[in-house]
Amino acid sequence: MKNITTPTRLRTPFKTLVLAQVLALMWPSLSLAHEGDDDKPAAKPGLSQPANTAGTPKRQADGSIFLPKPAQRQLDLRTLAVTQAELPRSLSLNGRVSMDPNAGGLVQALQAGRLQPGPRGLPTLGQQVKQGELLGYLLPASASLDRADKQAQIAELHAAQSLAQKRLARLRELADTVPRKDIEAAESELASLSGRDQALRAGLTEREPLRAPVSGVIAASYAVAGQVLEARERVFEIVAPGRLQIEAFAYDPAVAQDVTSAFVAVGQGQIELRFLGAARSLREQALPLHFQAQGTGLMNQLALGQSVKVVVQTRSKISGMAVPASALVKNAANQSQVWVKTGAEQFEPRVVSWQALDASSIAVTAGLQPGERVVSQAAALLNQIR
């Protein structure tokens, strides 16, 4: 029996057809595969794949932080090279904002009475007033017996005044026979009776005007229309917008002899103070120090009675490196530390010893080396990276 063979011209199209069918079946997998991914195992359903963390901020095992450049720009991070210098020794004292006695004043009731509004009504908080401006009236209050007694005196004076007028009229008719001195005495008696009568009537009905002692702003108001006030009761407090005093308390009396300058922190800035003097007697075991604060818009930053931190610089010096106060943060052990840039994207924490330099900067006395770059801005955000 003869073997049947396929001609060569028939085998070639058959192989081409089979190869085309195989490529058609493999095309979806080839189109989705990337170079170098052919040998990777397929992901199991329900399991998430680990993300690429090469550009993610991360705290390292040694406590340092890896922070890529894009993240640094996003946090607006800034660094500062520190240098060793002789800096003034500073102290941080508790203080309180008070009124300047030469630029502020009080409006008080001299006697008991009822408060009445002025021609423009009662002033409101924050309103500008001028020295001598009428703020209100005080209608004096008196007991019923005192009022009745004054009215009886007015009646007696009125009767005496009527008699004096008639007597003066008769004397003037007899002016040719009556001495001139008798007529002048009668005129003087009538004027005296009229003046006493007017004074008593004014005491019953006249209102006491309440005027501003200085020009400034109404800082406090205790006034209500119709309010009954006691003698020496405060009605208004007026303060000059650009002049305030700061009273700080030092527990070492020697500090008063060593003060060169002082500052108080307000928001992101500071206000420079002028030292006025110190008391000579202790108050609650502390020595009061008085400072003057001046500047435009001072009332927008400070308020009467506000508690503040006063940084006092002395004549003595310390060796340290000045850095912004915003660079100081706390670590997990509640220690003071700063962040030092050791590489383009590497930051290390340094525990430091420090003293206040002024209201917005500190002096690092230990923990840093001259020339190191300290994070001066966004240190608090950098400290939160985990």
Side-chain angles (χ1 to χ4, degrees), residues 354-372:
W354 62 278
Q355 293 183 8
L357 186 58
D358 55 34
S360 59
S361 59
I362 62 173
V364 177
T365 57
L368 286 179
Q369 296 297 326
E372 291 184 320

Side-chain angles (χ1 to χ4, degrees), residues 38-377:
D38 299 340
D39 298 334
K40 291 184 178 179
K44 296 182 180 181
L47 296 179
S48 60
Q49 297 300 308
N52 184 17
T53 60
T56 305
K58 184 179 181 181
R59 188 181 291 263
Q60 308 294 336
D62 59 353
S64 63
I65 288 179
F66 168 74
L67 188 64
K69 286 292 184 179
Q72 296 181 30
R73 288 189 291 269
Q74 185 178 9
L75 297 179
D76 196 18
L77 189 140
R78 296 289 184 271
T79 60
L80 174 69
V82 296
T83 56
Q84 192 80 18
E86 293 295 321
L87 305 173
R89 187 175 67 90
S90 302
L91 303 173
S92 182
L93 306 177
N94 294 324
R96 183 177 59 87
V97 181
S98 60
M99 181 188 302
D100 187 344
N102 296 316
L106 301 176
V107 179
Q108 295 177 278
L110 296 179
Q111 58 182 326
R114 186 180 299 277
L115 182 63
Q116 294 181 346
R120 297 171 50 190
L122 295 174
T124 58
L125 292 176
Q127 179 178 331
Q128 289 276 353
V129 295
K130 296 182 179 180
Q131 185 176 6
E133 182 178 343
L134 183 62
L135 306 180
Y137 293 101
L138 180 67
L139 182 62
S142 58
S144 57
L145 292 178
D146 293 339
R147 192 175 185 85
D149 184 53
K150 289 183 179 180
Q151 290 176 346
Q153 293 180 23
I154 291 174
E156 293 177 359
L157 289 173
H158 182 68
Q161 185 179 359
S162 179
L163 293 175
Q165 288 176 349
K166 293 178 181 179
R167 182 171 177 269
L168 178 60
R170 289 193 302 267
L171 290 175
R172 285 177 177 172
E173 291 177 357
L174 303 173
D176 295 337
T177 60
V178 176
R180 183 62 183 173
K181 63 177 183 179
D182 292 343
I183 298 177
E184 292 177 352
E187 291 175 348
S188 177
E189 181 182 2
L190 179 61
S192 175
L193 291 172
S194 299
R196 291 170 60 188
D197 180 59
Q198 292 177 2
L200 285 175
R201 291 179 185 276
L204 289 176
T205 60
E206 186 177 1
R207 300 175 297 179
E208 176 189 344
L210 301 177
R211 300 186 180 275
V214 294
S215 299
V217 176
I218 301 294
S221 175
Y222 312 98
V224 179
Q227 179 183 1
V228 177
L229 303 174
E230 298 294 335
R232 296 185 296 181
E233 185 175 349
R234 293 189 179 189
V235 185
F236 302 105
E237 292 183 11
I238 304 174
V239 61
R243 294 180 60 181
L244 291 174
Q245 284 192 0
I246 308 294
E247 187 180 42
F249 302 95
Y251 290 91
D252 185 5
V255 174
Q257 309 301 324
D258 200 24
V259 176
T260 57
S261 60
F263 307 87
V264 61
V266 177
Q268 300 297 327
Q270 64 182 19
I271 298 175
E272 186 174 356
L273 306 178
R274 181 169 61 90
F275 181 57
L276 299 178
R280 292 296 179 265
S281 61
L282 297 179
R283 184 191 306 170
E284 297 180 357
Q285 306 302 318
L287 187 69
L289 306 178
H290 286 266
F291 300 89
Q292 180 75 49
Q294 293 184 351
T296 57
L298 197 60
M299 286 297 296
N300 298 330
Q301 300 172 312
L302 298 175
L304 291 179
Q306 178 181 349
S307 297
V308 294
K309 283 289 185 181
V310 179
V311 179
V312 176
Q313 291 185 350
T314 62
R315 294 183 178 87
S316 56
K317 302 290 184 178
I318 59 172
S319 179
M321 287 159 279
V323 298
S326 58
L328 194 67
V329 293
K330 295 287 187 179
N331 60 12
N334 202 31
Q335 295 175 308
S336 298
Q337 70 175 19
V338 297
W339 287 95
V340 176
K341 187 174 185 179
T342 58
E345 299 178 338
Q346 292 292 330
F347 298 87
E348 293 183 359
R350 300 286 176 82
V351 177
V352 296
S353 299
W354 62 278
Q355 293 183 8
L357 186 58
D358 55 34
S360 59
S361 59
I362 62 173
V364 177
T365 57
L368 286 179
Q369 296 297 326
E372 291 184 320
R373 301 197 66 87
V374 175
V375 176
S376 58
Q377 184 173 312

